[in-house]
Short mmCIF file of all heavy atoms in Angstrom, two decimals:
data_model
loop_
_atom_site.label_atom_id
_atom_site.label_comp_id
_atom_site.label_asym_id
_atom_site.label_seq_id
_atom_site.Cartn_x
_atom_site.Cartn_y
_atom_site.Cartn_z
N HIS A 416 -129.94 -128.80 191.12
CA HIS A 416 -128.72 -128.22 190.54
C HIS A 416 -129.02 -127.78 189.12
O HIS A 416 -129.20 -128.62 188.23
CB HIS A 416 -127.58 -129.25 190.60
CG HIS A 416 -126.98 -129.35 191.97
ND1 HIS A 416 -126.16 -130.37 192.35
CD2 HIS A 416 -127.08 -128.51 193.04
CE1 HIS A 416 -125.77 -130.17 193.60
NE2 HIS A 416 -126.33 -129.06 194.04
N GLU A 419 -127.86 -129.16 185.81
CA GLU A 419 -128.23 -130.57 185.62
C GLU A 419 -129.68 -130.56 185.17
O GLU A 419 -130.61 -130.53 185.95
CB GLU A 419 -128.00 -131.32 186.93
CG GLU A 419 -126.53 -131.18 187.37
CD GLU A 419 -126.25 -131.58 188.82
OE1 GLU A 419 -127.10 -132.21 189.45
OE2 GLU A 419 -125.16 -131.24 189.30
N HIS A 491 -124.39 -124.39 193.78
CA HIS A 491 -124.31 -125.82 194.10
C HIS A 491 -124.62 -126.11 195.57
O HIS A 491 -125.14 -127.17 195.92
CB HIS A 491 -122.90 -126.29 193.74
CG HIS A 491 -122.73 -127.75 193.76
ND1 HIS A 491 -122.36 -128.44 194.90
CD2 HIS A 491 -122.88 -128.69 192.80
CE1 HIS A 491 -122.29 -129.72 194.63
NE2 HIS A 491 -122.60 -129.91 193.37
N HIS A 524 -129.91 -135.87 190.29
CA HIS A 524 -128.74 -135.08 189.89
C HIS A 524 -128.16 -135.65 188.60
O HIS A 524 -128.49 -136.77 188.22
CB HIS A 524 -127.69 -135.09 190.99
CG HIS A 524 -128.10 -134.36 192.21
ND1 HIS A 524 -127.57 -133.16 192.55
CD2 HIS A 524 -129.02 -134.65 193.16
CE1 HIS A 524 -128.14 -132.73 193.67
NE2 HIS A 524 -129.03 -133.62 194.07
N GLU A 525 -127.26 -134.88 187.98
CA GLU A 525 -126.64 -135.34 186.73
C GLU A 525 -125.18 -134.94 186.69
O GLU A 525 -124.86 -133.79 186.40
CB GLU A 525 -127.36 -134.69 185.54
CG GLU A 525 -128.81 -135.12 185.42
CD GLU A 525 -129.62 -134.16 184.54
OE1 GLU A 525 -129.04 -133.57 183.62
OE2 GLU A 525 -130.81 -134.01 184.81
N GLU A 600 -127.20 -139.84 190.38
CA GLU A 600 -126.43 -139.03 189.45
C GLU A 600 -126.60 -139.72 188.11
O GLU A 600 -126.14 -140.86 187.93
CB GLU A 600 -124.93 -139.01 189.82
CG GLU A 600 -124.60 -138.37 191.16
CD GLU A 600 -124.61 -136.85 191.12
OE1 GLU A 600 -124.96 -136.28 190.06
OE2 GLU A 600 -124.30 -136.24 192.15
ZN1 ZN B 9 -126.02 -132.21 191.41
#
Side-chain angles (χ1 to χ4, degrees):
H416 282 165
E419 303 165 14
H491 191 272
H524 291 253
E525 296 162 30
E600 296 282 4

